[in-house]
Amino acid sequence: MRLRVEFTTEPFDLDEAPAHAVVAREVIQGADLDAVDVGPFGNTADGGAEAVLSAVDALLRRSLAAGATRVSLQVNVLGEGDR
């Protein structure tokens, strides 16, 4: 099974990326995922179920520890044609 996770961390700071956002991006970029898209208002990553779920676990734990007060995420199961 392939999954896609979309996430944001808060609070936002438009002047400088907060520590929790930097940590979340590092987790996702360092995970064994097939595709990662990091942006200022949202981030997306695709991969196998185990890789995505492990990355989400690390993302939640590390970004909350780094000061996130809210983490919004959505996980979708990808069909064969989704990429």
Side-chain angles (χ1 to χ4, degrees):
M1 177 186 318
R2 292 184 41 77
L3 301 175
R4 173 174 292 146
V5 61
E6 300 175 50
F7 69 92
T8 58
T9 61
E10 296 178 39
F12 294 113
D13 183 341
L14 296 177
D15 295 326
E16 183 177 336
H20 59 80
V22 173
V23 166
R25 290 178 188 153
E26 289 173 352
V27 167
I28 291 299
Q29 289 174 327
D32 186 23
L33 300 169
D34 299 332
V36 175
D37 182 22
V38 175
F41 299 109
N43 308 283
T44 305
D46 297 358
E50 287 304 314
V52 170
L53 294 173
S54 292
V56 166
D57 177 60
L59 164 75
L60 290 170
R61 293 175 189 277
R62 293 189 52 204
S63 61
L64 291 170
T69 58
R70 179 181 181 135
V71 179
S72 300
L73 64 90
Q74 178 174 308
V75 178
N76 293 305
V77 175
L78 298 177
E80 289 192 27
D82 294 328
R83 193 69 183 155

